[in-house]
Amino acid sequence: MKMKIAAIRVFQVVARLHLLVLIVAGVGAVPIAAAEPAKPANGGLSAKRPEPTPAVSVLELPEDCFLQGQLVPMPAGNAPLTTLRWRSPLFADPLEFRFSEVERVRFHAPPNQPPAADVWRVDLRGGDFGVGTLESIDAEHIVLRAVGAGPAPLRIRRTDVQRLARTTAATKVFVPGLLAGWNCSRGGVREEAGRIVCEQAGTVAYRDVAAPLRACVEIVVAWDNRPEFELFFASGPAAAKPAGRDGAAEKPEHYRIEALGGELIVVREGATAAFEPIGTVDDAAGSLRMRVFIDQERGRMAVLSADAAAADRPLFDAAVAPGKAGRQSGLTLKLRRGGVRIDSLRVTPWTDEEPKVKSAGDLGGPNAVLESFDRTSGMFTAREGDDVRQVAAADVNAVEFPAAVATVKPPAAAVQAVQAVLHGGTRLTGRIVEVTDDVLRLDCPSVADPVACDRRQLALLEPIARTPAPVTGRLGLLEGSAGRMRGRLVNPAGKDKGIAWHPRGGVEAVAIGRAEPLRIAYARATAPDASAPTAKPVDAGSPATLYLKTGESILCSVLSADREGLRIKTDLEADLRVPAIAIRAVELLSSSAGPLSKDKFARLLTLPRSQQADPPTHMLRLPNGDYVRGKLISLDDSTTRIEVVGTVKDFPRSQVSRLIWLSIEGDDSESLAARAVLEVGDPQGVPSRATMLDGRRVSLIAERLDGDRLVGRNGVFGTTSVDLERVERLDLGPAALEQPQGTVPYSQWKLKPAAVPRALKDS
C-alpha cells in the first residue's frame, strides 16, 4: 500500500513538472571545437573553430574567434607571466595577448602511448588532479610521476590532497574533460577549464558514459545561484523526453535526482515508483557531491553524499522492478532555470554488495592515517592508534585524506593563474613562469617545485579569470585563412607608413603585410546611417559620384571633361586628371526618371554597321530620362558639348544628370582600367579595397590612418581615403585589387555591334 501511495505522489510531481516547463528532446552532437556555435557573435560567420593539428595549435578568443598558430617562447623574469605570445601565419610578427582576454589554447594529441601498468589519480582540493605512477608518500608530499609533467616526478603537497585512487581500465573520468562526446540541445553547453557549464534554460545535455549494469557514478554539480535541474542516470539520449500526447507511450525507466523549488528529490521510476526528499538547495552558491549507485538488473538506486560523516548510510536506497528489459549507459542533464556546472564526473563498476563511499579496497578505517608508501617494496604503511600495519599496494583501491586544519591557498581568480591539462590526464593550476620551445614551466601552489610541462603533451591551456577590458569605438572582425579576431586598424608604432592591427585583448598592434589576404568586416548595427555620404562634399553646390570600370567610386566635384578624361576635385586632391580609359560613368545630378525598358536599353546599345568604324564614345542622360549618344567634346561649369552623327550639340550642364563612357563588348578596357588603378609608383602600403555601407567600392594602396580615415594611393584617384565609420568590408592583400565579383555599376553599358544582314554574309 505504501508503495502505491508513493507511486501516486511521484507521478503527481512528475505531472506538475511537465506542466511547468517544456522538456526539450532534440539533441545534436557538439564537438569540442565549437563550444558555443549556435549563435555566432561575429556578424553571421558560421565557420566552426578548427581542430588543432600536429603542426598547428588553436588559440580561442571571445565571440567565437580563434587564431591558428603556435606559442612563442617567453623567458623567465622576476614575476610570473601575464601575457602569452602567439605566432599566427596571418602576420609576420607574433601577437601578444593578456591572459584575461583569452578563452583557451588547444593543442594536438601526440601519438597514442601504451598505458602504464599501475596508474594512480591524485585529486586535489582545488579541483586539480594528477595522473601517473605513484613513487612515494611521506608526511609532507605525495610523489607522482605524471606523463608530460617533466622529467622529475611531482612532489604534491599532502595538505592539498583530497583522495588517492587507483585508475583501472574500468574507471572512466569524463569531467574534468572536453566537450567532445556531449550531445547538447540549443547549443547551451560549453566547456570551461575542463568543467561542463550549462547556463541556458531548457537545455538538455547527454553523454554516453559507458556505465555498466551495476555502476557507481561520482558526480559534483555546482552553481552560483539556486538552479532547477534534473540529472538522469542510466539514461538514453531521450531520457527527458515527455510521454506521448495519447498517454500510450511506454512508461519511463528513470533513475534521477531533481532540484525543484529549493528541494532536492531522488526519484526511481520503473514498473512502479519511489521517491524521497534528501535535502534543500539554498539560494546562494552551492554544490552537490554525490555517489549514485545503479543496479539496472534489479532496478535499484542508492544515493550517498560524498561529504556525509556517516558515509555508509544512504540518503536514498530503493529497488523498483524495471518496467522494461535493457541497459542504458548514459547520463543526462536537463536545466530548467539558472545555471549549473558539472565539476566532476567519474564512473566505476559497483563491485561491492552494498553501496559504500569506501569500497573493500580502500585503505584503513575511519581513524586510520596513511603514513607512507614505498614503491620498492610496494607497501603502504598506515597507523590506527598504536596499531601500525602495512598493506600491499595491490590490495588498495583508494585512500581518503582528511582536510587540513589550515591550508594556505592563493586567490582562485588571480589574473596570472592558468589551468594546464596534459594529454596524460593531469590538470594543474598555477602561474606560467617561462615558455621555451620544449616546455611550459608552471608554478603550482599544490606542487613543491615548478612543473616543466612538456609542450608535446599539452592538451589545453586555459586562464582562470577572464576580465575583458571595456570596448570603446567601432571594432572590426578580421578574417583570414588561419583565423578571425576582433580589433581595429591603427598606425604601426614608430613607422611613417603602413597599417597595423590591434586585436582586442592584445598588448600592442602588429603590422599588416602585403602578402596574406585578409578581410575586415564591420557590423552595420553599430555603424552610422548608411544613407549618409561617405565624405564631405567638396563643393556644396555640385557633388558628383565618379565610377570606374574596376568598380570603385568616389564623391567629388567635376571641374571639366573632354575626350581624354575628367578633371575632378576631392577632399584630398585639389585638381586631379582621371584618364578616360578608367572611367565608367559620372553622376552629376540626382535623377528621378524611371528605369529603361529592356527593348529601349538594347536599342541604345546596338551599334549600327555605319558607325562601327568610328563608334560613339559617350552617352548623356537628361533629367527627363532621355539619352543622347555621341562623342563628348567638352564639359565645363556651364555647358556640355557632344558630337552626334557629325553634328555638335550643346546642352546646359544643369540639364545633364549622367555622363557614361561606352565600351564595346569583347574589348580589353577593363584590364586597361585595372592597370591604371594599380599604377601608384613605388607602393609602400597594403593593397586594399573598401566596400562602403552604400555599396560603393574604393581601391587604394593603404599607407596610414588619419583618425578614422584610411589614407593611401590610387593610380587614378591619386591620394585618397575612406572613412572607416562608413565601411562595411575591407579586403587587404594583392587579391583585394582584382576585378570584384558581382555587379559593377554601369558595367552593362557596352555597345554591341549590329548583326550583319544575311544577304551580306559570305556564302
Side-chain angles (χ1 to χ4, degrees):
M1 178 64 69
K2 290 183 179 179
M3 184 62 72
K4 291 183 179 179
I5 294 173
I8 292 172
R9 290 179 62 189
V10 74
F11 284 126
Q12 288 175 340
V13 171
V14 173
R16 288 198 301 270
L17 300 184
H18 288 170
L19 290 174
L20 286 173
V21 296
L22 173 65
I23 296 181
V24 180
V27 294
V30 178
I32 178 178
E36 298 171 325
K39 292 183 179 180
N42 48 30
L45 191 69
S46 60
K48 297 177 181 178
R49 290 166 170 169
E51 291 296 323
T53 68
V56 178
S57 303
V58 178
L59 170 68
E60 295 187 355
L61 300 168
E63 299 187 81
D64 203 33
C65 296
F66 70 93
L67 278 178
Q68 293 176 293
Q70 290 292 347
L71 277 175
V72 175
M74 297 183 71
N78 296 327
L81 302 179
T82 59
T83 63
L84 63 83
R85 289 179 185 160
W86 190 258
R87 185 173 300 282
S88 165
L90 299 181
F91 301 95
D93 298 320
L95 299 97
E96 188 169 357
F97 290 92
R98 291 179 286 272
F99 286 154
S100 58
E101 303 274 357
V102 171
E103 285 193 354
R104 63 183 60 84
V105 184
R106 292 188 291 115
F107 304 88
H108 187 265
N112 291 333
Q113 298 175 342
D118 190 16
V119 177
W120 293 79
R121 173 181 164 118
V122 180
D123 291 325
L124 305 180
R125 300 192 186 282
D128 287 347
F129 47 87
V131 178
T133 303
L134 190 60
E135 295 287 318
S136 65
I137 298 177
D138 58 27
E140 295 183 353
H141 299 102
I142 293 179
V143 182
L144 186 80
R145 188 175 296 277
V147 175
L154 303 177
R155 295 196 304 134
I156 303 171
R157 303 185 196 280
R158 182 165 168 158
T159 52
D160 289 342
V161 175
Q162 182 176 19
R163 188 170 189 257
L164 173 66
R166 185 188 300 277
T167 299
T168 65
T171 301
K172 297 179 176 62
V173 177
F174 297 95
V175 179
L178 305 178
L179 193 61
W182 289 85
N183 291 341
C184 312
S185 69
R186 300 192 179 185
V189 177
R190 58 186 172 84
E191 176 266 321
E192 183 178 287
R195 300 174 176 90
I196 303 302
V197 181
C198 183
E199 296 175 324
Q200 184 172 336
T203 296
V204 178
Y206 167 81
R207 174 152 190 168
D208 187 346
V209 295
L213 283 173
R214 297 187 83 243
C216 173
V217 180
E218 301 178 44
I219 188 167
V220 178
V221 180
W223 54 85
D224 295 325
N225 296 287
R226 189 179 76 185
E228 293 187 353
F229 62 89
E230 289 177 288
L231 280 170
F232 296 81
F233 302 87
S235 71
K241 188 175 182 180
R245 293 182 179 179
D246 58 1
E250 200 173 61
K251 290 183 178 180
E253 193 73 30
H254 282 176
Y255 303 82
R256 76 176 186 270
I257 296 176
E258 59 185 45
L260 177 64
E263 296 292 329
L264 196 62
I265 304 170
V266 183
V267 180
R268 166 73 186 106
E269 290 184 67
T272 56
F275 73 96
E276 185 74 33
I278 62 171
T280 59
V281 180
D282 296 332
D283 291 337
S287 63
L288 176 66
R289 301 173 59 86
M290 294 287 179
R291 295 194 184 185
V292 181
F293 296 82
I294 305 293
D295 184 343
Q296 296 186 60
E297 291 181 317
R298 296 179 54 200
R300 184 181 180 185
M301 179 181 185
V303 179
L304 281 75
S305 172
D307 297 327
D312 292 339
R313 296 181 58 185
L315 301 173
F316 175 90
D317 191 353
V320 173
K324 55 184 178 181
R327 168 182 171 267
Q328 298 289 354
S329 58
L331 178 133
T332 300
L333 166 66
K334 180 186 181 300
L335 182 64
R336 295 181 176 180
R337 185 177 67 85
V340 298
R341 63 180 182 271
I342 301 178
D343 286 350
S344 178
L345 176 60
R346 186 171 182 261
V347 178
T348 58
W350 178 12
T351 57
D352 296 305
E353 183 64 26
E354 295 298 321
K356 297 179 181 179
V357 170
K358 290 191 175 185
S359 69
D362 285 352
L363 178 64
N367 299 318
V369 177
L370 176 63
E371 289 194 339
S372 64
F373 169 74
D374 180 69
R375 179 172 176 78
T376 303
S377 64
M379 302 296 287
F380 286 92
T381 300
R383 177 184 295 275
E384 190 167 2
D386 294 332
D387 181 23
V388 178
R389 57 194 175 92
Q390 290 191 322
V391 182
D395 297 330
V396 177
N397 288 337
V399 181
E400 301 287 342
F401 289 80
V405 176
T407 302
V408 179
K409 300 290 289 184
V415 174
Q416 300 94 341
V418 299
Q419 284 188 336
V421 180
L422 304 179
H423 285 292
T426 294
R427 184 181 77 183
L428 297 171
T429 299
R431 298 173 297 178
I432 300 176
V433 295
E434 183 183 19
V435 179
T436 72
D437 290 327
D438 301 318
V439 302
L440 181 143
R441 205 171 304 280
L442 201 65
D443 184 12
C444 306
S446 297
V447 182
D449 308 301
V451 181
C453 301
D454 187 342
R455 287 184 52 173
R456 296 169 300 178
Q457 295 292 334
L458 275 174
L460 192 71
L461 194 64
E462 183 164 350
I464 294 297
R466 298 193 191 98
T467 54
V471 177
T472 58
R474 188 183 184 210
L475 297 182
L477 177 68
L478 182 143
E479 305 172 56
S481 60
R484 56 178 179 261
M485 57 180 162
R486 294 202 178 275
R488 56 172 50 88
L489 285 172
V490 297
N491 287 311
K495 295 183 180 180
D496 296 333
K497 289 189 177 182
I499 56 176
W501 180 254
H502 196 155
R504 181 177 181 181
V507 175
E508 57 186 19
V510 179
I512 293 177
R514 296 176 53 85
E516 181 68 25
L518 301 170
R519 171 175 293 180
I520 303 173
Y522 295 92
R524 283 179 172 267
T526 59
D529 183 5
S531 63
T534 60
K536 295 179 181 179
V538 180
D539 291 335
S542 58
T545 304
L546 173 62
Y547 296 90
L548 301 186
K549 291 186 176 73
T550 52
E552 48 254 85
S553 58
I554 61 168
L555 293 181
C556 63
S557 293
V558 174
L559 304 177
S560 65
D562 54 28
R563 294 177 181 178
E564 302 300 322
L566 279 177
R567 285 178 55 239
I568 64 172
K569 181 181 179 182
T570 70
D571 55 348
L572 295 176
E573 296 282 355
D575 191 342
L576 178 68
R577 165 70 68 173
V578 181
I581 190 60
I583 305 173
R584 180 66 72 186
V586 61
E587 294 178 354
L588 299 168
L589 302 172
S590 61
S591 176
S592 59
L596 284 171
S597 68
K598 185 176 181 180
D599 290 341
K600 184 176 181 180
F601 186 68
R603 290 196 300 272
L604 282 173
L605 295 180
T606 298
L607 182 62
R609 291 189 304 115
S610 60
Q611 297 182 11
Q612 289 180 11
D614 188 18
T617 56
H618 295 81
M619 188 83 70
L620 299 184
R621 178 174 175 172
L622 307 181
N624 62 3
D626 289 342
Y627 285 85
V628 178
R629 190 172 74 177
K631 294 182 177 181
L632 179 69
I633 297 175
S634 65
L635 178 147
D636 55 29
D637 57 356
S638 61
T639 305
T640 302
R641 177 167 293 183
I642 187 171
E643 178 187 339
V644 181
V645 193
T647 302
V648 176
K649 294 187 176 183
D650 291 344
F651 294 89
R653 174 167 169 166
S654 61
Q655 293 300 307
V656 178
S657 61
R658 297 179 189 174
L659 179 58
I660 303 169
W661 274 252
L662 300 174
S663 57
I664 299 176
E665 281 192 350
D667 64 14
D668 61 349
S669 59
E670 276 82 4
S671 61
L672 294 174
R675 191 180 307 164
V677 169
L678 294 175
E679 289 178 352
V680 294
D682 182 19
Q684 297 295 317
V686 179
S688 309
R689 166 168 277 156
T691 301
M692 313 305 292
L693 288 168
D694 59 6
R696 296 185 304 104
R697 289 184 282 252
V698 179
S699 297
L700 68 160
I701 304 297
E703 296 178 344
R704 69 182 191 279
L705 272 295
D706 185 1
D708 291 329
R709 302 189 73 85
L710 181 65
V711 182
R713 296 282 301 171
N714 179 294
V716 172
F717 297 145
T719 301
T720 189
S721 69
V722 292
D723 186 353
L724 293 178
E725 292 293 326
R726 311 290 180 180
V727 171
E728 181 178 21
R729 189 181 75 240
L730 186 65
D731 294 285
L732 306 172
L737 300 185
E738 295 177 357
Q739 187 69 14
Q741 299 296 319
T743 302
V744 175
Y746 295 95
S747 61
Q748 70 275 30
W749 287 86
K750 296 180 180 180
L751 296 172
K752 183 178 181 179
V756 178
R758 182 177 301 177
L760 298 179
K761 291 182 178 180
D762 295 335
S763 58

